[in-house]
Amino acid sequence: MLDNYFLIVRRIPGISLSPDAYWNLDTYTTSHLLKREKEIMDKEEEEYNKQKGKTKPREKNSEEMEELMDEIQVEG
């Protein structure tokens, strides 16, 4: 819980909550803030990696690669 508090207070400009004020916020508000901030962090990481020339691995193989893998398995 404290990790989430520090994430919100440190990363979002203008939010200066005391730990007690954070604790008294409703769950929807805190979870929504955390979700949005983590999305922003993911985008920042993606942009940083693009600048450094790193690419994100594909989550799915291309159809051509799938066919090639099938051929190799049949032959083996």
Side-chain angles (χ1 to χ4, degrees), residues 3-45:
D3 289 337
N4 293 339
Y5 166 74
F6 281 111
L7 178 68
I8 289 174
V9 172
R10 298 269 184 204
R11 294 250 330 154
I12 303 175
I15 293 186
S16 56
L17 296 169
S18 69
D20 286 334
Y22 173 77
W23 187 259
N24 291 328
L25 286 175
D26 63 289
T27 308
Y28 175 80
T29 301
T30 56
S31 63
H32 187 73
L33 285 171
L34 287 168
K35 178 183 173 191
R36 293 294 181 196
E37 194 56 36
K38 288 179 181 181
E39 288 172 0
I40 292 169
M41 290 168 61
D42 289 341
K43 287 181 182 180
E44 288 174 347
E45 182 179 9

